[in-house]
Amino acid sequence: MEIARPQGNPAVNAEVENSKPVSLSGLHKDLPSTLEVRQGKDTGRGLYARDRLVVGSILFATRPHVSVLSTPQLESYCSYCCSAAPSQGLKRCTRCRKIWYCNATCQNADWAEHKHECSALQRWQANAPSPDLSIPSDAIRCLGRILWGIQRTGLDSIWTREFSGMQSHRSSLPPSAFESHTHLAHSVVRYLGISSPAELAPFGLASAGDLVDLISRFTTNTFTLTSPSLTPVGICISPTMALVNHSCEPNVVMVFPHTPNALSSQEPLMHLIVIREISPGDQVFVSYVDTSVPRDLRQKELKETYNFVCHCSLCIRQTEVDPRTAMSCPKSCGGICPLPTEENDVTQCVKCKAVVTSAGAVLDAVRVGNEGLQKAISLQVKDPAKAKQLTSNLIPIITSAGLTPSAHPLLAMTRLHLELLLSAIATSISQDVLDEAIRTSAKYNEGLSNVLPYGHPVRAIAVAELGKLLAVDEPSPRHISSLDESTQFTQPAQSQSTPSGPTRLKLALETLIRAREELNIAFGKGTGGGLAGKEVREGIVRLESEIGQWTRGIRNAIEDARAAGKIAK
């Protein structure tokens, strides 16, 4: 993982021409012939296309060197294949009693790694000051597996050489990072049960400095491990995926589709999917951060986590207004305005040039929204009811200030509110909560459509989520005969109504069909959209059958009425 450079910039194109192919020396065998690694003077090392790469194609798939689940997910996912718990439940390791597996096959496959981890977990638990701290963090457990992997495969193995070849920013770490790295190093040493520097040698570490360097390499190259629906479930390390550099306007995405027919021994498989067409000679870029947030937040996270300033095409592009920092025209002409800032509170509509006279109120709403968002996030797990009350109160305030659905913090707040509603539906469903979830999901989709490209996995999953909500059986359906509400619903900014009955089913089917098309791009056409695509296809079949039965029932009723002479033929 290295610094991003602007795409389409003549200087960068010249740098690409002057870059040199890098010999892989037998490493990264999962890379296809359509890609090559090149080294540029200023652009650093990166992956480049040899051929034209079309949208939806799978560049390659690889199993991470190491993957670990986050502590809250240990009892819900298999620690080997990272699949969700099967219907019969997971099997727990009888020794450490902290790690769970799908079955004996996954447990046996993981034993080479877990046998060291098992003892370390028991030792950590015995010395934990409280039950809440009886399991080390996912970072500590991941670093433990990396070091045991180095010890098991040897210092000259391909596995170790690939890991050692990853980028490290140790020499340029800011002072603020040293404290966290040092603390993590001490925790890892305690987790491994090491009592003297000499015991670091089998792991290829000659000093404490080498351990800090390893930790820097780890923090710079860690990927989020996700479920097929993009729920974060842990972290992983893949040296081959780490060859892909960053852009806030990526042409590829990294996902875990969990292909329905894949063997558990192959999972979790990381797939690199094309979401924007790539020409021969173009560099392949993935995003390390959430690209739906404004530039300043992206830059802040990139600097703090990866220690570089992004100069990608999106970050350097000069535009009148970014939809991530936009508000509606005060005269409602259909145009948008840049959000006012503390440095510049004078803003006007880019279409009709109407000046925003309530800049102070907008700034207050944005400030309150940002503060409330962070508080609601902190409450999401420990007090979801309070978090939901907070988002319910704040969304109308931010919306009334004029922020567009794609603007921050409204888009993030809408997503959080939707997650809280979905949790509420999972425990107890009512018509009002279901309708609110549908309206919120529609608003979230509207916002995403302005900041993410067609076929982006976040956008594809959001469309699928809306389709599934529309397909849920209504607890108290309101029968609507007109299709007008369906039309209004596709424009949620202008309507707070939700369709009901057959109209809702028809809209659900249309939405799931659209989701299927986007999922095929987002998770790769070769995987059929992965597990998420499989679920959507099954939903489409069910809806088509249900709508067909309803249509046949109406037709039969009409024919019976005609036969009885109750209506004219």
Side-chain angles (χ1 to χ4, degrees), residues 15 34 68 129 152 164 247 298 321 383 411 425 449 525 554:
E15 184 63 48
T34 54
V68 298
R152 176 176 55 83
S164 300
S247 170
R298 300 196 307 268
V321 58
D383 194 346
L411 181 62
I425 288 174
S449 67
K525 294 178 180 177
I554 294 294

Side-chain angles (χ1 to χ4, degrees), residues 242-487:
L243 293 170
V244 187
N245 286 333
H246 164 82
S247 170
C248 297
E249 201 163 42
N251 47 24
V252 299
V253 290
M254 190 276 294
V255 290
F256 294 85
H258 279 262
T259 308
N261 296 325
L263 300 174
S264 62
S265 59
Q266 298 174 315
E267 296 290 356
L269 267 180
M270 308 171 75
H271 287 62
L272 198 66
I273 312 293
V274 179
I275 59 168
R276 287 186 172 97
E277 187 167 308
I278 302 174
S279 299
D282 285 353
Q283 187 171 175
V284 175
F285 287 107
V286 72
S287 178
Y288 302 167
V289 296
D290 179 3
T291 59
S292 69
V293 300
R295 178 183 181 277
D296 59 334
L297 294 181
R298 300 196 307 268
Q299 293 281 9
K300 181 175 183 290
E301 183 176 354
L302 289 167
K303 185 63 177 175
E304 291 177 351
T305 306
Y306 303 102
N307 198 32
F308 71 81
V309 176
C310 182
H311 299 286
C312 74
S313 53
L314 182 61
C315 286
I316 67 170
R317 185 183 303 144
Q318 298 296 320
T319 58
E320 282 191 287
V321 58
D322 181 353
R324 300 163 182 81
T325 53
M327 61 179 294
S328 300
C329 171
K331 299 296 185 182
S332 303
C333 78
I336 56 175
C337 323
L339 282 175
T341 64
E342 296 290 349
E343 295 76 20
N344 182 16
D345 61 359
V346 178
T347 183
Q348 63 181 16
C349 175
V350 297
K351 184 178 179 181
C352 73
K353 307 305 179 185
V355 176
V356 175
T357 58
S358 58
V362 175
L363 285 170
D364 286 343
V366 171
R367 176 182 54 78
V368 170
N370 280 317
E371 292 173 357
L373 176 63
Q374 296 308 312
K375 185 173 182 180
I377 290 172
S378 68
L379 292 170
Q380 184 176 8
V381 175
K382 62 181 180 181
D383 194 346
K386 191 171 183 180
K388 181 173 173 290
Q389 181 182 19
L390 193 58
T391 55
S392 297
N393 292 337
L394 287 173
I395 287 176
I397 294 174
I398 304 172
T399 303
S400 64
L403 272 70
T404 61
S406 58
H408 186 80
L410 181 56
L411 181 62
M413 185 80 74
T414 304
R415 176 62 210 176
L416 178 57
H417 188 59
L418 177 58
E419 291 175 3
L420 294 165
L421 288 169
L422 292 174
S423 297
I425 288 174
T427 55
S428 178
I429 187 170
S430 69
Q431 188 69 42
D432 288 341
V433 173
L434 177 60
D435 286 349
E436 184 182 1
I438 290 172
R439 289 193 298 269
T440 305
S441 179
K443 182 71 72 173
Y444 179 59
N445 273 271
E446 182 185 4
L448 285 180
S449 67
N450 290 318
V451 293
L452 297 180
Y454 183 88
H456 190 286
V458 171
R459 174 173 159 158
I461 289 293
V463 177
E465 203 168 55
L466 174 57
K468 290 177 182 178
L469 282 170
L470 287 164
V472 171
D473 289 337
E474 298 178 74
S476 306
R478 291 177 289 273
H479 298 291
I480 297 175
S481 57
S482 172
L483 293 180
D484 290 343
E485 277 205 50
S486 174
T487 304

Side-chain angles (χ1 to χ4, degrees), residues 61-64 67 78-84 102 106 109-110 225-228 255-271 527 530-531:
T62 185
R63 199 174 195 276
S67 60
C78 174
S79 279
Y80 179 71
C81 70
C82 300
S83 297
C102 292
C106 282
D110 195 45
L225 178 69
T226 68
S227 72
V255 290
F256 294 85
H258 279 262
T259 308
N261 296 325
L263 300 174
S264 62
S265 59
Q266 298 174 315
E267 296 290 356
L269 267 180
M270 308 171 75
H271 287 62
T527 71
L531 189 58

